[in-house]
Amino acid sequence: MSRNFFTKNPKQDTTETITVKNKNFKRLKTLTAAALLAVVALFCTVINLSRKSDEQAAERAKLVTQINDLHRKLGEETQALDSVSTQQQTSDEKAMSYIGSIEQKLTKINDYLSKRGLHGFSFKRIAPAKKADSKGKTEAIYSDYDNYLTRLVNNVAYMPMGYPRVSAFTSFFGYRGNPFDFGNSEFHPGIDFRGKTGDPVKCTANGTVEFAGPAGGYGNCVRIKHINNLVTVYGHLSRISVRTGQKVSVGDVIGKVGSTGRSTGAHLHYEVRRNGKAVNPKEYLSLN
């Protein structure tokens, strides 16, 4: 009886084995389902992230396009502004160029006058054009004024004016007593300037030497031809410093004071002739 009590039932062992397998299968099935859910969830997360990444990329591309458009518009507006500024600057530069040219000419005129022994004149700077004036009108005003002053410079340069030497007068234009024939009068066609032998004699205008040499009573003489049929004559020179055909400019030394020819002492005889006729040089000693 004791052996039968401890002996296992084979049928019972089989049932227990099946039960264990069923439990293991259910557990495996549960784990598999959980794994599948995790995979599905991960897959969905990846897809969602990918979609968001695509949306962000599209948004970035859109922003880049907008930024480029803004840069382009800003560049166009800046270019337009620069163009307007350049045009204005060009206009201002032209105006200032005209003004600068005018001031240079006025300075040159004063230089010509000082070389003739005359005082220069003061001049005011040109007032800026009014805002109401058009740009073209303003430039035309400056241009016309510039052309006018160019002509003035030429006239001053080539018109006999001022003193061939700065000194006192010893004899004037017109009738005077004859120094070689006491009691009689003679016509004096120029002005005599006091001087010492060897003092420099200067040309009173730009021109061309038409004669340089001995000329009877004038002694050593220089004649210079200028514009408007004007000629200046320099007589009684001790020395001639130019030659016939030579171009001379205002202020150039053309000879030295002397007492050659019909002369009572060292001095400079100076004449201005217009259309071949002697005129009073006093009319050409100043701007007036």
Side-chain angles (χ1 to χ4, degrees):
M1 290 185 60
S2 175
R3 189 180 349 179
N4 291 338
F5 178 78
F6 291 103
T7 301
K8 291 184 179 180
N9 188 344
K11 187 176 181 180
Q12 183 179 1
D13 290 342
T14 301
T15 301
E16 290 176 356
T17 300
I18 293 172
T19 300
V20 171
K21 287 183 178 181
N22 287 338
K23 288 181 180 181
N24 290 336
F25 178 77
K26 288 180 180 181
R27 188 179 295 112
L28 179 62
K29 186 177 180 181
T30 300
L31 292 173
T32 302
L36 288 175
L37 289 174
V39 170
V40 170
L42 180 61
F43 181 76
C44 291
T45 300
V46 170
I47 292 177
N48 188 42
L49 290 175
S50 177
R51 180 178 58 79
K52 288 184 178 181
S53 179
D54 291 339
E55 290 177 353
Q56 291 176 351
E59 187 67 23
R60 283 197 300 271
K62 185 178 180 180
L63 289 174
V64 170
T65 301
Q66 291 176 349
I67 291 172
N68 290 336
D69 288 340
L70 288 174
H71 276 299
R72 179 179 55 79
K73 290 179 180 179
L74 180 61
E76 292 174 353
E77 291 175 358
T78 301
Q79 186 176 3
L81 182 61
D82 289 344
S83 177
V84 172
S85 177
T86 300
Q87 290 176 1
Q88 182 64 35
Q89 184 180 11
T90 301
S91 177
D92 292 342
E93 286 176 350
K94 286 182 179 178
M96 292 306 297
S97 176
Y98 286 132
I99 292 174
S101 179
I102 289 170
E103 291 176 351
Q104 287 177 3
K105 289 181 176 65
L106 291 174
T107 301
K108 195 169 186 178
I109 289 173
N110 274 341
D111 182 56
Y112 282 141
L113 295 178
S114 65
K115 287 181 178 178
R116 291 180 167 99
L118 298 175
H119 291 295
F121 58 92
S122 61
F123 55 89
K124 297 180 179 179
R125 293 182 179 274
I126 299 175
K130 298 178 181 179
K131 291 183 179 179
D133 293 337
S134 66
K135 183 167 41 179
K137 182 179 179 181
T138 301
E139 292 180 4
I141 292 173
Y142 286 129
S143 180
D144 289 343
Y145 199 15
D146 181 66
N147 292 334
Y148 167 75
L149 287 176
T150 297
R151 294 193 300 271
L152 179 59
V153 167
N154 289 333
N155 287 338
V156 171
Y158 288 91
M159 181 71 66
M161 190 182 302
Y163 295 72
R165 60 169 280 96
V166 180
S167 66
F169 303 135
T170 59
S171 185
F172 295 92
F173 178 84
Y175 285 94
R176 66 175 185 177
N178 190 336
F180 294 96
D181 187 4
F182 183 76
N184 292 322
S185 64
E186 67 174 355
F187 180 75
H188 187 237
I191 291 178
D192 290 344
F193 293 87
R194 188 188 309 276
K196 297 179 181 179
T197 299
D199 286 347
V201 176
K202 297 180 180 181
C203 175
T204 57
N206 294 359
T208 304
V209 178
E210 67 173 14
F211 178 81
Y218 286 95
N220 292 329
C221 176
V222 172
R223 293 199 305 269
I224 301 175
K225 185 175 183 180
H226 311 283
I227 61 173
N228 299 327
N229 293 321
L230 289 169
V231 173
T232 52
V233 180
Y234 310 80
H236 307 310
L237 303 175
S238 62
R239 179 180 177 182
I240 294 174
S241 304
V242 292
R243 64 184 183 279
T244 301
Q246 181 178 338
K247 301 289 184 181
V248 291
S249 299
V250 56
D252 287 350
V253 175
I254 52 92
K256 305 289 185 179
V257 171
S259 185
T260 58
R262 188 171 179 266
S263 171
T264 58
H267 71 284
L268 170 67
H269 174 80
Y270 175 66
E271 294 181 14
V272 177
R273 293 182 172 270
R274 185 168 57 212
N275 297 320
K277 183 180 179 180
V279 295
N280 193 345
K282 192 174 181 179
E283 298 177 3
Y284 294 89
L285 294 181
S286 69
L287 285 174
N288 294 327

